[in-house]
Each structure stands twice: as C-alpha cells, then as structure tokens.
Amino acid sequence: MIRINENYTKLKASYLFADIAKRVGAYTAANPQSPAIRLGIGDVTEPLPPACIDALHAATDEMANRATFKGYGPEQGYGFLRELVAASDYAERGCRIEPDEVFISDGSKCDCGNIQEIFATDVRLAIPDPVYPVYVDTNVMAGRTGANVDGRYEGILYLDSTSRNGYVPAVPDAPADLIYLCFPNNPTGAVATRAQLEAWVAYARRNKAVILFDSAYESYIRDPGIPRSIYEIEGARDVAIEFRSFSKIAGFTGTRCAYTVVPKTLMAWDRAGNAHPLHALWNRRHTTKFNGVAYPIQRAAAAVYSAEGRSQTRALTDFYLGNARLIRDAMGKLGFACVGGDNAPYIWVNVGTDSWQFFDQMLSKAQVVVTPGSGFGKCGEGHVRISAFNSRENVEKALARIAAALA
Ligand code: MLT
C-alpha cells in the first residue's frame, strides 16, 4: 500500500496565496461586474525593462541559428551571469563572492524551499513570525516540526517580530542551528541595521549555525546605511547563504530568474563531527534536480547590469516605491499605524481587528485584495500587508475605494 508523507497533513489545507486566489476567484465569479484590484500577492505589473527585452530578443535569435543555438546550459548558470552577479552585486559593495559561489535558479521561492534538503531533519529551527510562509511550510513538509498547536508548529523557535522590536527580532537566548532572516522583510517591510545583522552573524558563529538570508527585496533599500547583503557583515561568509531574485528588481515574476549564494567557506557538520562544505552539497543537489534557467532568460537577467538596465530597473523600483508612499500615507490618514514602504514594496498595516475579517471587508466593500497578516504567522494577526505592485492608476483607485468603504 502506497503511503503519503504524513507531514503534509500537518499543513494548512492550502498555501496562503493559493487560498487568497481561491477566495478572490469565488468573489469575482459571483460579482463579475466589480473586478477586484490586487494589492495582495507581491506580483509585479510593469513590463520588463527595455534593456532586458532587447537581450531576450537577441538571445532568441541566437537560439534560431544553428551556429549559436544552445541546448542544456550549465545547471549552476552561465558564466556571463554568475560573473556579473559577483562583480556588480557583491564586489561593488565590498563583498568577496566568487562567481562559482553563485547558483542561478528559476526563483527564490524554490531556492528557499529547497535549501532545507541539505540539512539534517533534526536541526533546531529559528524562524521569524510573521514571515514568508515558504520557510515554515517546507520545513513542516520535511518533518522538522511537530503538530500545529494554536497556530504554531512544535519544534520551531519563533522569533516574534512586532512593533515592540521594530519588527526586527533580536538574537534569542536559546541556541538554533538553522535561522531564516528576510530583509527588507516580507511581510512587514522592516529593514535590519548593520548592528542588528552583526549580532545575528555573531550568534550564528557562536552556535555553529547557518543563516538563510532572503534578500529578494534588496533593490528597494534607499537608506544608504542599511546593508543590502548579509555578506556586508564581517564573517558572514562562514555562516550565511543568501537568496536574491530578479523578480522584484526587474519584473521577472513571470520570466523566472534568481540566484543563491553559497560561499565555499561555509561548513556544516555530520553526526561524527566532520565538517562538510555546504557549497558541495548544494552543487550536488542543484545539478541532480535542476537543469538550468533558459539561456534567453539568463541573457535578459544579465542586461539588468548594463548601464541602461541599471537606470531602467532603478526607475522601476522607484515607481513601486512611489506607490508604497501613497499607500502608507493614505492608510496613515485613515488612522492606521503603518510600517514599511520606505525601503520595501510592502506596507504593514495595523488594522486592530481579525485580519481575515478585514480582508473580507476590503474584498466585498472596496473590491481591493490585501493579504491578511495572520497568513504570515501568529504575530501577523491584527494586521494586513498591502503590496505596492500595481499601476499608479489602480493604486489610487484602490486607496479611494478603501477610504470610501471605511467611511
Ligand atoms: C509575496 O507576495 O509574498 C511574494 O510575491 C511571494 C513570492 O515571491 O513568492
């Protein structure tokens, strides 16, 4: 008799954004005359930058020509892109990352979800709350937790992120082995200072732990004092893996390209106490289960680093940050306490009521989709996340509708 992975039965029936899509779908089917404006899932709306489109066209032409056609590429990504990442995203900011420490992939969601495979099932987890649900759910699937009791899984050390700590959790007193951090944060939009990241790196070094640093929204940081990468912190090469994505900097949510950095100096240990480089393990996993990102897509991603690409992607992120400012100001004027939106495309709004109830109210009365905070964890209750990813026209319309619905 074939049996299931029973860890899946510990999960909520559906993934947060699938659940929201289902509710919005049902609402739209019942009310086809009032389409909803989506400020829920962080999905971009603006077209790819022209520099990326030009590169995509040119690479497509290469694929049409026998002399330049490409079949399987290197699983870890083409050298041209790995070199650009190492030079532009790291060397330019004073970080020492080698091109072969960069693994190109089809998304940070996949990488954040898959990375846990290279760690033992009995490692001690520390995960912020609220948090991008992929970190928790994939560890539940892998059997690293017990049951969900009162909205929290047994076996996870939750790092509460609330207004009391400015949504940046301090290092805990208890030891942990695998720590998830995300800055700029999804969902709160909070950023971590250098001193806060230094404390986390020191904690990880003390505990021989690994930090999984999700920095998918780093291109939204405008405060020059805020680190964009964990590798800007001395010693982080020995304790951290970093995830980055082209989705939110250049509109690649549908095009799919991201990367994960695994420094060769980063070690983890077997039961007998022997050290193993995680780079070799991730390389083994990646080459076994992944066949590389399409060549034209990698060429389009490489165009992000050209002079035109840099200015076009800056304009794109500035545009979404302009939306974020409008949202934060409007929600503030309605009397809600808000954070985020200045160095991140998300605004975290304290609505002071059940977050699914507020979601339903916004959907039915304003035809606006937001994300209920409780979907990100227990500490998210009483909040909603509003995404700045939409056209200016839709954001303005949504804000007017929200104000009218709450009047
Ligand atoms: C979000 O809305 O949290 C993100 O868009 C989800 C993702 O990037 O997978």
Side-chain angles (χ1 to χ4, degrees):
M1 182 179 64
I2 183 70
R3 293 186 39 231
I4 61 160
N5 174 352
E6 289 183 30
N7 294 313
Y8 277 63
T9 65
K10 299 176 196 161
L11 292 164
K12 287 199 211 84
S14 54
Y15 177 59
L16 172 64
F17 292 106
D19 200 6
I20 292 171
K22 204 161 120 201
R23 289 181 190 225
V24 175
Y27 174 83
T28 310
N31 302 278
Q33 74 294 347
S34 3
I37 298 174
R38 291 164 199 259
L39 302 180
I41 191 165
D43 193 5
V44 294
T45 54
E46 303 310 297
L48 294 177
C52 299
I53 291 292
D54 289 347
L56 206 45
H57 284 162
T60 306
D61 287 343
E62 285 186 64
M63 297 299 268
N65 183 331
R66 180 174 300 278
T68 49
F69 168 79
K70 307 228 166 359
Y72 291 128
E75 292 94 342
Q76 304 90 337
Y78 283 99
F80 63 80
L81 183 54
R82 301 174 90 191
E83 279 156 27
L84 278 169
V85 167
S88 310
D89 288 343
Y90 293 106
E92 275 181 24
R93 295 194 64 84
C95 310
R96 190 168 50 85
I97 294 297
E98 302 298 326
D100 65 357
E101 295 175 327
V102 176
F103 292 83
I104 308 297
S105 77
D106 60 351
S108 286
K109 178 182 184 178
C110 323
D111 287 353
C112 290
N114 292 329
I115 196 79
Q116 46 76 29
E117 282 184 29
I118 64 173
F119 300 101
T121 43
D122 57 357
V123 295
R124 294 165 297 187
L125 295 170
I127 306 185
D129 176 359
V131 85
Y132 183 42
V134 170
Y135 313 153
V136 171
D137 286 5
T138 53
N139 278 291
V140 174
M141 291 170 177
R144 262 185 214 99
T145 73
N148 189 319
V149 179
D150 195 20
R152 286 193 156 177
Y153 288 97
E154 291 168 339
I156 295 180
L157 173 59
Y158 285 93
L159 306 168
D160 289 2
S161 309
T162 66
S163 55
R164 282 186 292 285
N165 56 19
Y167 301 94
V168 180
V171 299
D173 294 333
D177 305 309
L178 191 59
I179 304 139
Y180 287 76
L181 294 178
C182 172
F183 292 110
N185 187 259
N186 179 8
T188 66
V191 286
T193 62
R194 179 172 296 279
Q196 287 166 325
L197 293 180
E198 279 169 355
W200 275 109
V201 167
Y203 171 89
R205 294 181 71 90
R206 262 195 321 277
N207 288 288
K208 289 185 154 178
V210 167
I211 296 171
L212 300 176
F213 194 78
D214 183 351
S215 141
Y217 298 94
E218 58 76 32
S219 59
Y220 288 83
I221 294 176
R222 291 294 179 270
D223 182 337
I226 298 293
R228 287 172 165 232
S229 165
I230 191 75
Y231 303 120
E232 290 179 42
I233 308 301
E234 185 72 38
R237 272 185 62 86
D238 303 331
V239 290
I241 289 174
E242 181 160 285
F243 306 95
R244 292 255 188 124
S245 168
F246 293 95
S247 286
K248 312 294 159 91
I249 183 175
F252 275 52
T253 53
T255 310
R256 311 305 307 149
C257 198
Y259 65 84
T260 288
V261 177
V262 188
K264 281 180 272 183
T265 47
L266 175 59
M267 298 290 164
W269 289 264
D270 63 24
R271 210 176 281 280
N274 303 306
H276 298 262
L278 286 173
H279 183 276
L281 266 67
W282 184 244
N283 190 53
R284 185 69 171 86
R285 193 260 170 221
H286 204 69
T287 49
T288 305
K289 294 196 178 183
F290 188 64
N291 246 347
V293 173
Y295 171 73
I297 304 298
Q298 293 194 55
R299 279 290 179 201
V304 165
Y305 300 100
S306 64
E308 306 76 43
R310 284 177 196 237
S311 83
Q312 291 162 7
T313 52
R314 173 72 186 208
L316 201 52
T317 50
D318 278 346
F319 168 75
Y320 289 125
L321 282 170
N323 285 347
R325 241 184 328 274
L326 291 177
I327 295 168
R328 188 165 163 166
D329 288 352
M331 296 309 286
K333 281 198 186 108
L334 290 171
F336 297 108
C338 303
V339 292
D342 35 13
N343 291 294
Y346 296 126
I347 299 90
W348 188 238
V349 186
N350 184 342
V351 292
T353 181
D354 179 89
S355 63
W356 276 107
Q357 197 178 313
F358 193 85
F359 166 90
D360 284 334
Q361 187 189 3
M362 288 299 105
L363 184 57
S364 60
K365 296 222 165 63
Q367 292 80 49
V368 174
V369 182
V370 296
T371 307
S374 62
F376 297 104
K378 209 169 172 173
C379 291
E381 188 47 280
H383 295 74
V384 296
R385 188 195 76 177
I386 305 185
S387 153
F389 293 116
N390 215 311
S391 65
R392 184 60 50 86
E393 188 191 352
N394 273 348
V395 166
E396 286 171 348
K397 211 189 290 179
L399 293 172
R401 287 190 194 172
I402 291 174
L406 293 171

